Amino acid sequence: MSLLDAHLAHLTAALPPFRRCEPLLARWGAVLARRLTDGGRLLVAGNGGSAAEAQHLTAELVGKLRDDRQPLSAIALHAETSALTAIGNDYGYEEVFARQVRAHGRPDDVLLLLSTSGGSGNLLTAARAGREAGLRCWAFTGPAPNPLAEACHEVLAVDSPDSQVVQELHLVSSHLLCEYVEQAMAGQLTPAAPAAGPVRAGVEVVLDGGAVRPVQA
């Protein structure tokens, strides 16, 4: 069996149980849409490849996935490199996300933590900090049970022993979560801005008598 065939076989095996995650993603999308449109924020963190997945998610929310809409507050904690390295240097790597959660999180904000193993120490510390601060704590992990799943209020656990497949389905989950957020916001999509009036080319010069004379650029 080739590498591609082996990888696709692992991915195919993980798809049937993953289908059961859709109701959870739909509910999370509705909750997240309400919180973000009410002025709350989403804090996201991960390590390594999961950090890249987390940052992909925040980019879709601050920007857009499909349709134009208001920007939504979503912060990838690992992307704040000066804070990350300062906290790691002064307080240790276990605190690099937790201290930012305490700084930025407010009650009922959402903290989403991504880990293929579900055992990353800095994410477990962040989950505890989030719960203490009154945030809703969610996780994307690999197979459950795992420590991060137990530390968060809810978890989407991808049932695959292959960490690459777990990350790939975390990306699918992120896209679906954004889809459900935008679906919940369907009535709040930003309309096209009205024209501000006729557009004039060139430069207008106001003469001493008050007359306006156009001058072509």
Side-chain angles (χ1 to χ4, degrees):
M1 181 182 290
S2 71
L3 286 176
L4 176 60
D5 287 338
H7 188 95
L8 291 178
H10 286 301
L11 182 58
T12 300
L15 290 178
F18 179 71
R19 289 180 180 276
R20 296 194 290 268
C21 297
E22 185 170 21
L24 176 65
L25 288 167
R27 180 164 53 79
W28 281 8
V31 169
L32 195 55
R34 284 196 303 273
R35 183 59 188 143
L36 297 184
T37 55
D38 284 346
R41 60 174 59 114
L42 171 68
L43 306 179
V44 190
N47 295 291
S50 294
E53 301 274 6
Q55 199 164 344
H56 188 138
L57 172 59
T58 58
E60 304 284 18
L61 292 171
V62 177
K64 67 173 183 176
L65 184 67
R66 293 188 186 276
D67 299 313
D68 196 15
R69 52 160 169 76
Q70 70 183 79
L72 302 172
S73 180
I75 302 171
L77 300 179
H78 56 274
E80 186 59 58
T81 54
S82 293
L84 189 80
T85 52
I87 295 166
N89 187 60
D90 294 341
Y91 298 95
Y93 196 66
E94 299 287 297
E95 284 289 322
V96 292
F97 300 136
R99 191 166 178 85
Q100 293 186 74
V101 169
R102 298 185 193 102
H104 301 304
R106 300 294 181 267
D108 290 329
D109 282 350
V110 177
L111 174 65
L112 176 59
L113 303 170
L114 287 75
S115 171
T116 57
S117 69
S120 301
N122 56 5
L123 297 180
L124 294 171
T125 306
R128 288 192 290 270
R131 295 189 70 145
E132 290 167 2
L135 281 72
R136 300 171 189 254
C137 296
W138 299 341
F140 285 174
T141 73
N146 62 69
L148 186 59
E150 295 171 4
C152 292
H153 293 107
E154 293 187 279
V155 60
L156 186 155
V158 175
D159 189 12
S160 173
D162 188 329
S163 61
Q164 295 177 38
V165 168
V166 172
Q167 285 187 347
E168 288 157 5
L169 291 181
H170 283 177
L171 178 58
V172 173
S173 301
S174 294
H175 281 155
L176 285 169
L177 182 60
C178 291
E179 291 261 22
Y180 279 115
V181 168
E182 294 193 350
Q183 184 180 87
M185 295 178 63
Q188 304 174 41
L189 298 179
T190 304
V199 178
R200 297 184 175 91
V203 178
E204 293 182 345
V205 178
V206 180
L207 304 177
D208 287 343
V212 177
R213 184 177 69 192
V215 177
Q216 293 300 319

